[in-house]
Amino acid sequence: MATEVPELDAYDARILDELQRDARISMAELGRKVHLSQPAVTERVRKLEMAGYIKGYRAVVDYQRLGYGIRALVRVGRAEYARVVKLIEQTPEVVNAFNVTGEDSWILEIAVIDVEHLDAVVTKFCLLTETSTAIVLNVPRENAKVLPAKREDIKPVLKKVTGR
Amino acid sequence: MATEVPELDAYDARILDELQRDARISMAELGRKVHLSQPAVTERVRKLEMAGYIKGYRAVVDYQRLGYGIRALVRVGRAEYARVVKLIEQTPEVVNAFNVTGEDSWILEIAVIDVEHLDAVVTKFCLLTETSTAIVLNVPRENAKVLPAKREDIKPVLKKVTGR
DNA sequence: GATGAAAGGACTAAACC
DNA sequence: GGTTTAGTCCTTTCATC
């Protein structure tokens, strides 16, 4: 449900912001940044975790640096759901797998070493159904921070044709 | 360059693994897990950060819980590069923006509150060029862990037609 | 790289407002 | 909900092996 999130106040929003910026910040330092005492922020972070707003904390690694020279987005056509999921599970090169509406049922983000490796991974999915591969040239925005949704942030679309 | 990463040994690989699992683990605990002393892991983590293998640490938030009821992937056709980048910069709903090869120059991952909000965001890009929107139904794999690339992990493709 | 010691900072739990 | 305090644990920086 796309409800508002009235249970989150400005402190929570700032805490979520800071933890998305640097997840390894100490609770004492976080407290200083949001102007709360250390036990207070610690308790709020615990509640945000318990309520499922925060799912975890992850180190962000550099694919290129780790030897993955190519990132690609692979569109995969209609195929039996369970078969695709199983193949994804057997393919560690898939870093994100979206099941989506539309002609292409899946969009997979993969990280591979080189073209030979790309071939090996894409071929596995080609055996199921049609695929279409796009190589990532660059990523001007990656894993942007997300704040609690506020409906007033929606900028209404100006439609040329209005009713009545 | 898609080089190997010989400068990373098994300890570094385990450290990267653990920090991708839980970025807020203490250095003492991390040391216990990878069987190194605490000063030793601390130094290794510092080096991994300095060398750019680790780009940072982020809290992973739940879009749904934060009020974003819809995630979508928007394919955006050919358009002037700078104009697209500028529009992305002005659109906080874009959480990932991939500039890719192929007919669609961009694939954007967006998080929006509801259909009205989706309309507002997609329309901004429609004004530049053609777009195609696919709603995310589910995400069986999200931000999977990545380990240092090893060429021997590539499973060679069995081609039906072989040369000579 | 391990170990050990010492100082500073961070975390937890309790009492209290 | 918030703060403060006290005790414990963690981290950092030495030194030494």
Side-chain angles (χ1 to χ4, degrees):
Chain A
M1 234 117 290
T3 55
E4 298 283 311
V5 276
E7 61 263 38
L8 297 186
D9 64 12
Y11 284 127
D12 294 314
R14 287 216 52 196
I15 289 170
L16 288 170
D17 185 299
E18 292 296 338
L19 287 175
Q20 286 179 85
R21 190 192 313 275
D22 175 16
R24 281 192 66 81
I25 189 175
S26 74
M27 288 299 121
E29 182 64 22
L30 182 56
R32 274 172 230 126
K33 292 213 177 193
V34 305
H35 303 297
L36 278 177
S37 70
Q38 196 250 47
V41 279
T42 304
E43 178 63 10
R44 273 172 181 265
V45 170
R46 197 192 61 77
K47 282 180 180 171
L48 288 169
E49 291 169 356
M50 290 302 103
Y53 293 104
I54 297 173
K55 294 198 285 185
Y57 305 92
R58 296 180 47 90
V60 180
V61 300
D62 189 313
Y63 295 118
Q64 198 79 28
R65 205 81 182 71
L66 285 177
Y68 298 93
I70 298 177
R71 290 171 74 180
L73 294 171
V74 182
R75 283 152 50 194
V76 177
R78 189 149 282 298
E80 200 189 323
Y81 184 85
R83 288 174 76 98
V84 180
V85 171
K86 193 176 174 191
L87 188 50
I88 289 168
E89 281 167 5
Q90 295 167 352
T91 311
E93 291 89 348
V94 175
V95 293
N96 279 298
F98 300 99
N99 179 24
V100 296
T101 61
E103 213 154 309
D104 303 302
S105 299
W106 294 86
I107 297 183
L108 312 178
E109 182 190 338
I110 66 175
V112 289
I113 298 174
D114 53 17
V115 173
E116 182 193 346
H117 193 188
L118 177 66
D119 182 33
V121 173
V122 171
T123 300
K124 287 167 70 174
F125 288 92
C126 285
L127 299 176
L128 281 183
T129 177
E130 334 79 74
T131 69
S132 171
T133 301
I135 305 252
V136 174
L137 299 174
N138 70 66
V139 187
R141 181 174 299 174
E142 191 159 9
N143 273 107
K145 283 188 302 190
V146 170
L147 297 182
K150 286 184 289 188
R151 177 154 280 102
E152 57 268 32
D153 288 344
I154 304 177
K155 295 181 183 99
V157 186
L158 298 172
K159 296 290 186 188
K160 281 179 185 161
V161 183
T162 64
R164 86 172 52 196
Chain B
M1 231 116 293
T3 56
E4 298 285 311
V5 277
E7 61 264 38
L8 296 186
D9 63 12
Y11 284 126
D12 294 314
R14 287 217 52 197
I15 290 170
L16 287 171
D17 185 299
E18 292 295 339
L19 286 176
Q20 285 179 87
R21 190 191 313 274
D22 175 15
R24 283 191 66 81
I25 188 174
S26 75
M27 288 298 121
E29 182 64 23
L30 183 56
R32 272 172 234 128
K33 292 213 176 192
V34 305
H35 303 298
L36 278 178
S37 71
Q38 196 255 40
V41 279
T42 304
E43 180 61 12
R44 274 172 181 264
V45 170
R46 199 192 60 79
K47 283 180 181 169
L48 289 170
E49 291 169 355
M50 290 301 105
Y53 293 104
I54 298 172
K55 294 197 285 185
Y57 306 91
R58 296 179 47 90
V60 181
V61 301
D62 188 313
Y63 295 118
Q64 198 79 27
R65 206 79 183 72
L66 285 177
Y68 298 94
I70 298 177
R71 291 172 74 180
L73 295 170
V74 182
R75 284 153 49 197
V76 177
R78 192 148 280 298
E80 201 190 322
Y81 183 86
R83 289 173 74 98
V84 180
V85 171
K86 194 176 173 191
L87 189 49
I88 289 168
E89 281 167 3
Q90 295 168 351
T91 311
E93 291 88 349
V94 175
V95 293
N96 279 299
F98 301 99
N99 178 24
V100 297
T101 62
E103 212 155 309
D104 303 303
S105 300
W106 295 86
I107 297 184
L108 313 178
E109 181 191 339
I110 66 174
V112 289
I113 297 175
D114 53 16
V115 173
E116 181 194 347
H117 193 187
L118 177 65
D119 181 34
V121 173
V122 171
T123 300
K124 287 168 70 174
F125 288 92
C126 285
L127 300 176
L128 282 182
T129 177
E130 335 77 76
T131 69
S132 170
T133 301
I135 305 249
V136 174
L137 298 174
N138 71 65
V139 187
R141 181 175 297 175
E142 191 159 9
N143 273 106
K145 283 190 300 189
V146 170
L147 297 182
K150 286 185 290 189
R151 176 154 280 102
E152 57 268 32
D153 288 342
I154 304 178
K155 292 179 185 103
V157 186
L158 297 173
K159 295 291 187 187
K160 280 180 185 162
V161 183
T162 63
R164 84 174 51 199

